[in-house]
Amino acid sequence: MPNVRTQVGIVGAGPAGLVLSHLLYLRGIDSVVLENRSRQYVEERVRAGVLEQGTVDLLAEMGVGERMKKEGLVHYGIELRFLGRGHPIDFRELTGGKGITIYAQAEVLKDLNDARIATGGQVFFEVEDVSVHDFNTVQPKISYRKDGHAYELACDFIAGCDGFHGTCRPSIPHGVLTEYERVYPFGWLGILAEAPPSSEELVYCYHDHGFALLSMRTPQIGRLYLQCKPDEDIAEWSDDRIWHELQVRLASTGWKLAEGPVLQKGVTGMRSFLVDPMQYGRLFLAGDSAHIVPPTGAKGLNLAVADVQVLARGFDKFYKTGDHTLLDRYSQICLRRIWKVQRFSWWMTSMLHRFPDGTPFDQRRQIAELDYVTSSRAAATSLAENYIGLPMEWD
Ligand SMILES: Cc1cc2nc3c(=O)[nH]c(=O)nc-3n(C[C@H](O)[C@H](O)[C@H](O)COP(=O)(O)OP(=O)(O)OC[C@H]3O[C@@H](n4cnc5c(N)ncnc54)[C@H](O)[C@@H]3O)c2cc1C
């Protein structure tokens, strides 16, 4: 029988919702998570894979990092490739030993779900018709249906962790949120392939035909992307055509791209989006429900985790002392860092993609920028410190 009352009602069992729920459990705060998809769907969705050091540290502190430590691939740099040549950006050297970990979002979610279930967490999958109410009062409610029955969950607070297309953000009255948005005139065609990664490091490639990215999930499974039209018809891309285009864009002297069976493929649009503030009354938005970054900076999951870290501290302070100042400052604390991450993700995207209306001037400028980033220690350090993750700032 589902709960009828909890302290924090959480909508969405993605990274934001599950990390928040487990952080609250570790602080003795009760929560219920409502997710409209099945557990299997959530755990099989192929999405992010690059974890900042801060995300890795937090997951480890929460006791959900054991498998990540064993199976995650630690990387201390990336390669920027343009005009057929690769240029390493050495994070370890530029940031005093820091790196990132490649560990698929789906695996993070499996670990979090296991931890929630092992500790008696209330995570309900396949709920329907979720809607949030009365969040401008001290008694917010979430109504939903499960197995044909209607329920109402009374909460002290609601966390809207339901992604970009969720129900929480649109429930906030018109005029409260200011939206900032940029939609890019291209998308990414991504594949998951049974092909061992052909490079030790992720390769970000600028090419006349458009951007390409060589990334990986495990030592056996590669994750590769091609810049494409935002509405590209995936049916027009046979596996052979995808591999051919990857070979063309990633080509570099003395280097060979290993191919293999394509396990999954899809097209993702690219946008920068955020709302300010990220809260209204007792409803707090976290993760993709409040902001989207283009994936070039590999930041979406990391931002979601950073938001709920702030939120969990705010709830903790409130329940321990009655002090709500940290909750009141939630948007301000998060947005300061989010805007810097938006800037970085936009910058990486702008530097590495071919814009349909780009002139020869723009293309030469992009090459000059890549040349500068790979030849100036100051510029490379700026990229490196943003990529491995900016510090949390609590003031
Ligand atoms: C192709 C791709 C590659 C990416 N690569 C990276 C990367 O390398 N690094 C990185 O950091 N980020 C990356 N991202 C972004 C990252 O996956 C997201 O930013 C991250 O999933 C955000 O987590 P979230 O919990 O906020 O939202 P989500 O993961 O979207 O979770 C929201 C959850 O809410 C559920 N939900 C929605 N509506 C409702 C409702 N009405 N009721 C109940 N539940 C609901 C959804 O089913 C979902 O499970 C990538 C994204 C894509 C698409």
Side-chain angles (χ1 to χ4, degrees):
M1 176 71 187
N3 264 22
V4 289
R5 174 153 186 89
T6 189
Q7 288 173 295
V8 182
I10 300 175
V11 185
L18 290 176
V19 170
L20 178 63
S21 173
H22 204 59
L23 280 174
L24 294 179
Y25 158 76
L26 294 169
R27 289 164 161 88
I29 300 167
D30 188 52
S31 71
V32 170
V33 183
L34 300 170
E35 164 63 49
N36 61 3
R37 300 292 194 151
S38 69
R39 179 173 175 184
Q40 187 184 358
Y41 179 89
V42 167
E43 291 185 355
E44 287 179 359
R45 196 162 38 189
V46 180
R47 296 183 86 183
V50 175
L51 307 184
E52 293 175 353
Q53 189 64 54
T55 303
V56 169
D57 293 344
L58 182 76
L59 293 173
E61 272 166 37
M62 290 166 63
V64 292
E66 211 175 300
R67 209 159 59 88
M68 170 188 69
K69 290 272 177 206
K70 256 192 259 148
E71 297 174 20
L73 309 172
V74 180
H75 284 245
Y76 290 103
I78 57 169
E79 180 185 315
L80 292 180
R81 193 174 287 185
F82 56 101
L83 303 178
R85 270 190 61 205
H87 305 261
I89 304 285
D90 186 337
F91 296 161
R92 189 167 9 205
E93 215 233 322
L94 295 165
T95 65
K98 296 193 182 131
I100 49 110
T101 297
I102 307 274
Y103 188 63
Q105 176 166 330
E107 304 307 317
V108 174
L109 292 178
K110 279 180 205 156
D111 297 343
L112 284 163
N113 274 323
D114 287 347
R116 288 313 297 122
I117 285 157
T119 50
Q122 306 244 30
V123 184
F124 298 111
F125 291 94
E126 295 178 85
V127 301
E128 293 169 293
D129 300 336
V130 175
S131 56
V132 291
H133 309 275
D134 303 337
F135 41 85
N136 209 14
T137 73
V138 291
Q139 286 173 318
K141 292 177 197 68
I142 308 178
S143 56
Y144 64 99
R145 296 180 70 80
K146 171 98 182 120
D147 302 327
H149 301 285
Y151 295 98
E152 194 172 78
L153 178 68
C155 336
D156 297 334
F157 298 98
I158 298 174
C161 301
D162 48 347
F164 185 66
H165 300 288
T167 186
C168 290
R169 191 181 67 251
S171 304
I172 294 178
H174 186 70
V176 171
L177 306 179
T178 302
E179 295 189 357
Y180 298 86
E181 184 170 38
R182 168 173 292 230
V183 178
Y184 297 87
F186 39 74
W188 278 13
L189 189 165
I191 62 165
L192 199 64
E194 213 175 303
S198 309
S199 159
E200 287 230 335
E201 304 299 7
L202 275 74
V203 178
Y204 286 77
C205 179
Y206 177 87
H207 188 273
D208 276 352
H209 290 196
F211 171 72
L213 171 61
L214 184 157
S215 170
M216 59 289 287
R217 285 296 177 265
T218 70
Q220 295 79 35
I221 305 290
R223 181 87 172 126
L224 299 104
Y225 298 95
L226 288 168
Q227 177 183 345
C228 62
K229 289 186 290 199
D231 55 352
E232 192 77 54
D233 181 3
I234 193 75
E236 288 180 12
W237 286 81
S238 66
D239 295 358
D240 281 351
R241 183 175 171 207
I242 293 172
W243 282 117
H244 173 75
E245 192 58 28
L246 284 165
Q247 294 284 6
V248 169
R249 295 191 195 180
L250 288 164
S252 174
T253 318
W255 181 84
K256 201 165 157 30
L257 174 65
E259 299 184 11
V262 174
L263 305 173
Q264 195 262 359
K265 58 183 161 184
V267 171
T268 320
M270 308 257 287
R271 73 172 74 225
S272 303
F273 172 86
L274 64 77
V275 290
D276 182 355
M278 292 164 56
Q279 65 202 88
Y280 178 67
R282 289 194 163 210
L283 170 61
F284 294 83
L285 304 176
D288 278 15
S289 75
H291 42 73
I292 294 283
V293 284
T296 330
K299 294 295 179 202
L301 182 154
N302 295 295
L303 276 181
V305 170
D307 288 351
V308 295
Q309 230 181 314
V310 179
L311 204 46
R313 262 206 213 182
F315 289 139
D316 191 37
K317 193 159 183 188
F318 175 81
Y319 283 113
K320 283 205 178 108
T321 66
D323 179 352
H324 49 77
T325 47
L326 192 51
L327 284 177
D328 294 346
R329 290 175 49 242
Y330 168 70
S331 299
Q332 187 194 330
I333 294 171
C334 291
L335 283 166
R336 185 174 170 206
R337 186 170 180 275
I338 290 164
W339 269 115
K340 291 181 197 170
V341 175
Q342 287 283 7
R343 183 212 67 85
F344 174 68
S345 303
W346 162 84
W347 174 73
M348 285 282 281
T349 303
S350 309
M351 177 170 68
L352 286 159
H353 289 75
R354 284 296 294 265
F355 284 73
D357 60 353
T359 60
F361 176 87
D362 295 320
Q363 287 145 25
R364 293 301 295 266
R365 184 187 47 73
Q366 284 175 302
I367 296 286
E369 183 141 28
L370 285 159
D371 188 10
Y372 175 57
V373 170
T374 51
S375 59
S376 152
R377 188 179 172 89
T381 304
S382 168
L383 188 158
E385 71 178 6
N386 278 277
Y387 200 100
I388 56 121
L390 294 174
M392 298 290 296
E393 291 165 304
W394 297 89
D395 296 331

